[in-house]
Amino acid sequence: MIYEIEKKAWLNNKTEAINKADKLFTFIKDDVKRDTYYFNGDFKNIDFKNDIIFRIRKDGDTTFITHKKRDFIDNFEINEENEFEAINPDDLHQFFLFLGFSVLIEKNKSGKIYKY
């Protein structure tokens, strides 16, 4: 069982933040992840803490299926993660649609990886 503890931060100036990171850390590479989230219910009344929502994440040449059991304490998101590698994500996508799940959202996440 894996736990993820997440605290969101908002930037007023992305370029300034990248410039500071470049000075403090060693840049490793740009990072792109492609996520497709699935949901089976009423989109108007989604309960992100309790409803079954899961994703297919394409990260380079690797693809993962992830389900998170969410909890919120103060301003922290604490997730119990269940994750496994997917061998054929396109077939899984079709299978999830067949089971009655709908695509909730698709998003591309881009970031930078640094070494401290």
Side-chain angles (χ1 to χ4, degrees), residues 5-8 49 71-78:
I5 300 173
E6 198 169 74
K7 174 76 173 166
K8 303 286 186 190
K49 182 177 176 184
D71 199 3
F72 299 90
I73 299 175
D74 296 324
N75 290 323
F76 289 88
E77 181 179 335
I78 300 171

PDB file of all heavy atoms in Angstrom, residues 5-8 49 71-78:
ATOM      1  N   ILE A   5       0.948  12.110  -0.031  1.00  0.00           N
ATOM      2  CA  ILE A   5       0.508  13.290   0.699  1.00  0.00           C
ATOM      3  C   ILE A   5       0.819  14.487  -0.178  1.00  0.00           C
ATOM      4  O   ILE A   5       1.957  14.672  -0.621  1.00  0.00           O
ATOM      5  CB  ILE A   5       1.203  13.404   2.070  1.00  0.00           C
ATOM      6  CG1 ILE A   5       0.867  12.162   2.903  1.00  0.00           C
ATOM      7  CG2 ILE A   5       0.780  14.681   2.782  1.00  0.00           C
ATOM      8  CD1 ILE A   5       1.621  12.071   4.199  1.00  0.00           C
ATOM      9  N   GLU A   6      -0.206  15.274  -0.440  1.00  0.00           N
ATOM     10  CA  GLU A   6      -0.080  16.324  -1.444  1.00  0.00           C
ATOM     11  C   GLU A   6      -0.545  17.651  -0.868  1.00  0.00           C
ATOM     12  O   GLU A   6      -1.573  17.726  -0.198  1.00  0.00           O
ATOM     13  CB  GLU A   6      -0.962  15.931  -2.632  1.00  0.00           C
ATOM     14  CG  GLU A   6      -0.686  16.628  -3.910  1.00  0.00           C
ATOM     15  CD  GLU A   6      -1.443  15.949  -5.051  1.00  0.00           C
ATOM     16  OE1 GLU A   6      -2.669  16.121  -5.129  1.00  0.00           O
ATOM     17  OE2 GLU A   6      -0.803  15.240  -5.839  1.00  0.00           O
ATOM     18  N   LYS A   7       0.215  18.673  -1.128  1.00  0.00           N
ATOM     19  CA  LYS A   7      -0.140  20.043  -0.765  1.00  0.00           C
ATOM     20  C   LYS A   7      -0.018  20.877  -2.025  1.00  0.00           C
ATOM     21  O   LYS A   7       1.032  20.914  -2.651  1.00  0.00           O
ATOM     22  CB  LYS A   7       0.792  20.563   0.332  1.00  0.00           C
ATOM     23  CG  LYS A   7       0.608  22.009   0.692  1.00  0.00           C
ATOM     24  CD  LYS A   7      -0.617  22.207   1.531  1.00  0.00           C
ATOM     25  CE  LYS A   7      -0.665  23.655   2.024  1.00  0.00           C
ATOM     26  NZ  LYS A   7      -1.929  24.009   2.554  1.00  0.00           N
ATOM     27  N   LYS A   8      -1.090  21.528  -2.408  1.00  0.00           N
ATOM     28  CA  LYS A   8      -1.090  22.338  -3.621  1.00  0.00           C
ATOM     29  C   LYS A   8      -0.432  23.690  -3.335  1.00  0.00           C
ATOM     30  O   LYS A   8      -0.575  24.254  -2.259  1.00  0.00           O
ATOM     31  CB  LYS A   8      -2.514  22.584  -4.125  1.00  0.00           C
ATOM     32  CG  LYS A   8      -3.299  21.322  -4.393  1.00  0.00           C
ATOM     33  CD  LYS A   8      -2.854  20.634  -5.639  1.00  0.00           C
ATOM     34  CE  LYS A   8      -3.783  19.460  -5.914  1.00  0.00           C
ATOM     35  NZ  LYS A   8      -3.325  18.598  -6.943  1.00  0.00           N
ATOM     36  N   LYS A  49     -14.198  12.500  -3.013  1.00  0.00           N
ATOM     37  CA  LYS A  49     -13.660  11.740  -1.883  1.00  0.00           C
ATOM     38  C   LYS A  49     -14.178  10.305  -1.880  1.00  0.00           C
ATOM     39  O   LYS A  49     -13.442   9.382  -1.555  1.00  0.00           O
ATOM     40  CB  LYS A  49     -14.008  12.426  -0.562  1.00  0.00           C
ATOM     41  CG  LYS A  49     -13.440  11.722   0.642  1.00  0.00           C
ATOM     42  CD  LYS A  49     -13.737  12.458   1.924  1.00  0.00           C
ATOM     43  CE  LYS A  49     -13.237  11.655   3.120  1.00  0.00           C
ATOM     44  NZ  LYS A  49     -13.584  12.275   4.382  1.00  0.00           N
ATOM     45  N   ASP A  71      -8.555  11.309   1.106  1.00  0.00           N
ATOM     46  CA  ASP A  71      -8.939  11.902   2.378  1.00  0.00           C
ATOM     47  C   ASP A  71      -8.337  13.299   2.418  1.00  0.00           C
ATOM     48  O   ASP A  71      -7.326  13.568   1.750  1.00  0.00           O
ATOM     49  CB  ASP A  71      -8.438  11.067   3.559  1.00  0.00           C
ATOM     50  CG  ASP A  71      -9.191  11.377   4.838  1.00  0.00           C
ATOM     51  OD1 ASP A  71     -10.146  12.187   4.810  1.00  0.00           O
ATOM     52  OD2 ASP A  71      -8.831  10.805   5.879  1.00  0.00           O
ATOM     53  N   PHE A  72      -8.945  14.191   3.150  1.00  0.00           N
ATOM     54  CA  PHE A  72      -8.458  15.554   3.276  1.00  0.00           C
ATOM     55  C   PHE A  72      -8.343  15.899   4.749  1.00  0.00           C
ATOM     56  O   PHE A  72      -9.298  15.738   5.499  1.00  0.00           O
ATOM     57  CB  PHE A  72      -9.406  16.531   2.570  1.00  0.00           C
ATOM     58  CG  PHE A  72      -9.541  16.268   1.098  1.00  0.00           C
ATOM     59  CD1 PHE A  72     -10.516  15.415   0.607  1.00  0.00           C
ATOM     60  CD2 PHE A  72      -8.680  16.872   0.203  1.00  0.00           C
ATOM     61  CE1 PHE A  72     -10.636  15.167  -0.754  1.00  0.00           C
ATOM     62  CE2 PHE A  72      -8.783  16.635  -1.157  1.00  0.00           C
ATOM     63  CZ  PHE A  72      -9.764  15.779  -1.637  1.00  0.00           C
ATOM     64  N   ILE A  73      -7.159  16.329   5.144  1.00  0.00           N
ATOM     65  CA  ILE A  73      -6.914  16.767   6.511  1.00  0.00           C
ATOM     66  C   ILE A  73      -6.308  18.153   6.429  1.00  0.00           C
ATOM     67  O   ILE A  73      -5.241  18.338   5.820  1.00  0.00           O
ATOM     68  CB  ILE A  73      -5.985  15.797   7.260  1.00  0.00           C
ATOM     69  CG1 ILE A  73      -6.630  14.405   7.336  1.00  0.00           C
ATOM     70  CG2 ILE A  73      -5.675  16.326   8.662  1.00  0.00           C
ATOM     71  CD1 ILE A  73      -5.752  13.335   7.940  1.00  0.00           C
ATOM     72  N   ASP A  74      -6.987  19.116   7.043  1.00  0.00           N
ATOM     73  CA  ASP A  74      -6.619  20.524   6.911  1.00  0.00           C
ATOM     74  C   ASP A  74      -6.556  20.849   5.425  1.00  0.00           C
ATOM     75  O   ASP A  74      -7.507  20.601   4.707  1.00  0.00           O
ATOM     76  CB  ASP A  74      -5.313  20.836   7.642  1.00  0.00           C
ATOM     77  CG  ASP A  74      -5.447  20.621   9.155  1.00  0.00           C
ATOM     78  OD1 ASP A  74      -6.528  20.915   9.699  1.00  0.00           O
ATOM     79  OD2 ASP A  74      -4.480  20.153   9.772  1.00  0.00           O
ATOM     80  N   ASN A  75      -5.465  21.352   4.935  1.00  0.00           N
ATOM     81  CA  ASN A  75      -5.336  21.670   3.511  1.00  0.00           C
ATOM     82  C   ASN A  75      -4.467  20.656   2.781  1.00  0.00           C
ATOM     83  O   ASN A  75      -3.926  20.951   1.723  1.00  0.00           O
ATOM     84  CB  ASN A  75      -4.751  23.074   3.328  1.00  0.00           C
ATOM     85  CG  ASN A  75      -5.733  24.150   3.731  1.00  0.00           C
ATOM     86  OD1 ASN A  75      -6.930  24.014   3.494  1.00  0.00           O
ATOM     87  ND2 ASN A  75      -5.250  25.201   4.350  1.00  0.00           N
ATOM     88  N   PHE A  76      -4.335  19.460   3.346  1.00  0.00           N
ATOM     89  CA  PHE A  76      -3.541  18.404   2.732  1.00  0.00           C
ATOM     90  C   PHE A  76      -4.458  17.337   2.162  1.00  0.00           C
ATOM     91  O   PHE A  76      -5.457  16.966   2.759  1.00  0.00           O
ATOM     92  CB  PHE A  76      -2.602  17.753   3.753  1.00  0.00           C
ATOM     93  CG  PHE A  76      -1.473  18.643   4.181  1.00  0.00           C
ATOM     94  CD1 PHE A  76      -1.624  19.519   5.239  1.00  0.00           C
ATOM     95  CD2 PHE A  76      -0.257  18.599   3.519  1.00  0.00           C
ATOM     96  CE1 PHE A  76      -0.582  20.345   5.629  1.00  0.00           C
ATOM     97  CE2 PHE A  76       0.796  19.410   3.901  1.00  0.00           C
ATOM     98  CZ  PHE A  76       0.631  20.290   4.959  1.00  0.00           C
ATOM     99  N   GLU A  77      -4.085  16.837   0.988  1.00  0.00           N
ATOM    100  CA  GLU A  77      -4.777  15.698   0.397  1.00  0.00           C
ATOM    101  C   GLU A  77      -3.929  14.467   0.685  1.00  0.00           C
ATOM    102  O   GLU A  77      -2.744  14.431   0.366  1.00  0.00           O
ATOM    103  CB  GLU A  77      -4.915  15.905  -1.112  1.00  0.00           C
ATOM    104  CG  GLU A  77      -5.644  14.777  -1.802  1.00  0.00           C
ATOM    105  CD  GLU A  77      -5.789  15.032  -3.308  1.00  0.00           C
ATOM    106  OE1 GLU A  77      -5.774  16.195  -3.737  1.00  0.00           O
ATOM    107  OE2 GLU A  77      -5.898  14.029  -4.036  1.00  0.00           O
ATOM    108  N   ILE A  78      -4.534  13.472   1.309  1.00  0.00           N
ATOM    109  CA  ILE A  78      -3.828  12.242   1.661  1.00  0.00           C
ATOM    110  C   ILE A  78      -4.523  11.103   0.927  1.00  0.00           C
ATOM    111  O   ILE A  78      -5.713  10.849   1.122  1.00  0.00           O
ATOM    112  CB  ILE A  78      -3.833  12.014   3.183  1.00  0.00           C
ATOM    113  CG1 ILE A  78      -3.147  13.195   3.868  1.00  0.00           C
ATOM    114  CG2 ILE A  78      -3.157  10.688   3.529  1.00  0.00           C
ATOM    115  CD1 ILE A  78      -3.272  13.212   5.356  1.00  0.00           C
TER     116      ILE A  78
END
